[in-house]
Amino acid sequence: MKVFCGRANPTTGSVEWLEEDEHYDYHQEIARSSYADMLHDKDRNIKYYQGIRAAVSRVKDRGQKALVLDIGTGTGLLSMMAVTAGADFCYAIEVFKPMADAAVKIVEKNGFSDKIKIINKHSTEVTMGPDGDMPCRANILITELFDTELIGEGALPSYEHAHRHLVQENCEAVPHRATVYAQLVESRRMWSWNKLFPIPVHTSCGEQVIVPPLELERCPGAPSVYDIQLNQVSSADFTVLSDVLPMFSVDFSKQVSSSAACHSRQFEPLASGQAQVVLSWWDIEMDPEGKIKCSMAPFWAHSDPEELQWRDHWMQCVYFLPQEEPVVQGSSIYLVAHHDDYCVWYSLQRTSPEKDRRVYPARPVCDCQAHLLWNRPRFGEINDQDRTDQYIQALRTVLKPDSVCLCVSDGSLLSLLAHHLGAEQVFTVESSAASHRLMKKIFKANHLEDKINIIEKRPELLTSADLDGKKISLLLGEPFFTTSLLPWHNLYFWYVRTAVDQHLGPGAVVMPQTASLHTVVVEFRDLWRIRSPCGDCEGFDVHIMDDMIQATGSGSVSVSAHCHLPFPSQRALDFRESKEAEPHPLWEYPCRCLSEPQQILTFDFRQPVPPHLIHAEGSIELRRPGRSHGAVLWMEYHLTPDSTVSTGLLKSAEDKVVLCTGIVAGTPTASRQCTSSPRRTPERRWAALRLSVTPWISTPTLETSPWISHSQTPWTMGSDPHLLRNKVA
């Protein structure tokens, strides 16, 4: 069976889907998935177990055999729970072959092979009958097909098909029911993740304001939900405008429809304000009576905040209304939840949708280009006035009346800032058609279409004719490129600077002048769970899962980076993906630092990319006791000697690390414990960070591979031929 696998292309930063055959090592896909997080979700596991026991008992009380259909079985955990609860037989469906193979081994290891049949198919391909995959319909349906949005993984079509073809009418279902909740809020911070705000620029001629195009203001935005750890958003960042409203429920024990539908709730706003954002989550009831409930509610809406379960595979949803709308306290209004087979979206209506029978809004689609070019963190970054002011202040120190500026960053407003601050001529390079169209709209809205020259081509392909034969006196970059996944991917700016060297005039200034890579070793409060070995789960042995992941990349890494774990399966995370950094919005994941922040590497943009290897080696002393789960890595851009923009650490203290809201690279791994006696200096531990950056002038190559390994002594590092290389044409 062939499967499409996502791969990051470090040249462009984009995700490419490659077709892999049966010889491909799919274990690394499992390693990057949420299986570990789900197996560590004790609240989920206990509630499923309770619901399964109750369902099997109800079937047995009717004098029937308990025949279970488990769709999306994964490790086989829920099927093993069902057999332990007394089920006569389980048909466990798993479409992903490596996971199905693992489930077969796990089921056999736990002694359930005679009661559980693993079927490696999509549930819609399962056959029924004497010669089929299932001889008869099941009377208990167990599934875990949910994502943060509830229906985003195709739960509705899967349930719809199962009820029509695979289970008995009025079967038992675990979970039995799901309910989606919503709460309307006003939030300037969250709204800044979706719309471009006016940006004031103080100049010698007075205040200028960069305004968004009308098309962008009217755009309903991107169709995708913004899933988030809502518990990490400060209550000061939003104003509640409604009570928590139950929007719609799905009864999984009956026929389910995947057809588009809408559900409205009338309410009276709790306060007057601007309705901008809908916060949403769901709960699942494992039994018909609703006594066994698993809730995704944030702490302020949870029935028992003290028992709140941390999880990353199910979070909360942020939906943006198509337009912000004023609401008045006490004046009734309708919140409408729309959904099709995979997506949910919301709208506000003044009258009952059922009464006026209006055509319900279609799924929102961006028609302004901005939501296709800028992700949510990027919107927030552009709307950060403090950050913008840093660039303005830096530009004031380097701009001259005769400056000819070239701006190299995707969809950046630096070119507008340079113009307003007095540059003689401004060019901006937009390498994609989408960014080119967006910037034309922004320039036109600000009456600058004839004053800023947009060049649609890759920067390294620039010619003198593109620049009207002029030499550049100021090369600008934030830097930001839409294809960058990790902070250091924006070092592409350095290669651009090298490629356009021939177009720079004598004494040309480059801003930022330099960049530096920083790290701090941290103890995560919860994020470590997504990479922690599973071991035993609710009494079932799933060590095979850990061993399978361990085998990933066993022959692909030339330098070993062992993570010393405080449990038996301590080699379970010794695979390539555990050693490479991965992007996380780390402001959502609390941690505390065990070391002091340390600068690792410096990159001098004032000079072309050097032909020799750039590398760093050394050790970081862990100065505080705790568990060293991994390292946070971020870039800092030094615009001028007196001005620095950080993409990561904002403030560090012993008990807390404050990070910016952008994407920061982290290496969440299993932990090594550092302890100390209360009367003694904390025991020293060395955390070794391996980072290799290899640029070549003739064929510029960027090779970055930061990962954490723990050892008692400092280390040296070598080049890894298996690492991805970033070759600029």
Side-chain angles (χ1 to χ4, degrees), residues 57 101 105 215 292 380 529 532 616 619 689:
S57 179
D101 293 342
K105 295 176 183 177
E215 187 177 349
I292 309 170
R529 301 174 195 273
S532 181
S619 58
L689 177 70

Side-chain angles (χ1 to χ4, degrees), residues 671-692:
S671 61
R672 179 182 180 90
Q673 190 170 18
C674 302
T675 59
S676 64
S677 167
R679 297 184 180 180
R680 296 175 57 192
T681 302
E683 180 183 359
R684 292 186 177 184
R685 288 288 183 266
W686 298 102
L689 177 70
R690 179 195 189 280
L691 175 70
S692 175

Side-chain angles (χ1 to χ4, degrees), residues 377-498:
R378 178 58 175 168
F379 264 101
E381 196 172 59
I382 292 174
N383 285 319
D384 183 345
Q385 189 62 45
D386 290 339
R387 178 179 180 274
T388 299
D389 287 343
Q390 283 184 275
Y391 283 97
I392 291 173
Q393 187 60 39
L395 278 169
R396 284 198 179 105
T397 65
V398 298
L399 271 175
K400 298 178 181 178
D402 60 349
S403 290
V404 177
C405 301
L406 175 63
C407 178
V408 183
S409 282
D410 290 344
S412 173
L413 303 184
L414 276 183
S415 57
L416 288 89
L417 298 181
H419 171 80
H420 284 312
L421 292 172
E424 179 180 280
Q425 190 165 5
V426 180
F427 297 91
T428 184
V429 177
E430 301 295 341
S431 56
S432 74
S435 62
H436 183 264
R437 287 193 295 269
L438 174 62
M439 295 311 296
K440 283 187 68 174
K441 293 174 185 177
I442 293 175
F443 293 161
K444 185 175 181 180
N446 289 274
H447 310 292
L448 298 175
E449 62 267 38
D450 297 326
K451 298 178 181 179
I452 299 178
N453 299 290
I454 308 179
I455 304 169
E456 186 184 352
K457 62 168 55 176
R458 291 184 63 86
E460 58 269 24
L461 301 179
L462 280 177
T463 65
S464 179
D466 294 323
L467 303 172
D468 298 336
K470 296 186 177 181
K471 290 292 184 179
I472 300 301
S473 58
L474 178 58
L475 178 64
L476 297 174
E478 296 188 34
F480 170 81
F481 301 98
T482 56
T483 53
S484 297
L485 298 177
L486 296 169
W488 46 87
H489 285 169
N490 285 322
L491 286 175
Y492 172 64
F493 177 76
W494 202 7
Y495 295 107
V496 170
R497 180 259 178 270
T498 302

Side-chain angles (χ1 to χ4, degrees), residues 491 494 513-517 601-605 614 635 691 693:
L491 286 175
W494 202 7
Q513 297 180 356
T514 61
S516 51
L517 177 65
L601 284 171
T602 300
F603 312 94
D604 190 351
F605 297 154
I614 298 176
M635 295 291 292
L691 175 70
V693 183

